[in-house]
Amino acid sequence: MINFTIPGEPVPKGRPRVTKTGHVYTPQNTRDYEEYVKYCYKGPMLEGQIRAYVDVFLQIPKSASKAKKKRMLMQIERPTKRPDLDNLAKTVLDAINGLGYKDDSQVVSLRIDKYWSENPRIEVNLREIGKEEKDD
């Protein structure tokens, strides 16, 4: 089992861009964030089938009232704003492709949740299916 945290405000996977000459590229802020995710990953290369748990913690808006902030911290109110969950998961899983596992096709189960927090981050838990019982 591998656990790691990516501190800071989460960045979703940006859509590929195309130049006038037809060259396709990934936006710079996405490339930068993927490099940061790689830096945060300190685990070994996982083999076999992988179950991934991704918890995204978004910054509570400064405009939130005290009552609303309390509900957000208690997870009574959860984020329904952008960024989209699928784009956040794609950024993390693509970034550690070839580092945490040979190919992201090894991820056969994915659970991702969004929460509010005063400490924005992404927490990732990767488990090899079949080895879970031995690790716990």
Side-chain angles (χ1 to χ4, degrees):
M1 178 175 25
I2 305 294
N3 292 304
F4 70 102
T5 300
I6 307 153
E9 193 64 30
V11 176
K13 183 83 170 188
R15 298 214 181 267
R17 305 288 183 214
V18 181
T19 65
K20 291 178 182 177
T21 60
H23 181 269
V24 180
Y25 67 96
T26 302
Q28 186 65 45
N29 66 329
T30 300
R31 290 196 315 263
D32 292 345
Y33 191 71
E34 286 180 344
E35 285 300 315
Y36 180 55
V37 171
K38 287 178 187 177
Y39 172 78
C40 294
Y41 182 81
K42 303 295 183 205
M45 174 83 69
L46 299 175
E47 305 288 331
Q49 301 174 73
I50 298 168
R51 178 173 289 137
Y53 299 95
V54 180
D55 291 321
V56 177
F57 296 87
L58 300 176
Q59 180 70 50
I60 293 175
K62 294 191 185 332
S63 61
S65 67
K66 285 184 180 180
K68 184 170 184 165
K69 185 176 178 179
K70 183 177 179 182
R71 289 192 307 272
M72 290 170 148
L73 288 171
M74 294 173 63
Q75 305 310 330
I76 295 169
E77 286 191 34
R78 303 258 305 263
T80 56
K81 67 173 195 115
R82 292 185 183 271
D84 297 343
L85 284 176
D86 57 334
N87 293 330
L88 291 164
K90 187 118 180 84
T91 300
V92 173
L93 297 177
D94 283 356
I96 60 174
N97 194 24
L99 182 65
Y101 37 76
K102 290 179 185 167
D103 189 78
D104 56 3
S105 64
Q106 289 173 250
V107 178
V108 298
S109 176
L110 173 63
R111 194 223 64 221
I112 181 166
D113 289 297
K114 268 196 301 194
Y115 303 98
W116 290 113
S117 176
E118 292 178 324
N119 179 23
R121 66 197 180 280
I122 297 179
E123 295 178 358
V124 182
N125 174 281
L126 302 174
R127 299 172 181 223
E128 288 184 72
I129 295 177
K131 290 190 178 183
E132 293 171 328
E133 300 79 28
K134 297 174 192 170
D135 290 344
D136 292 338

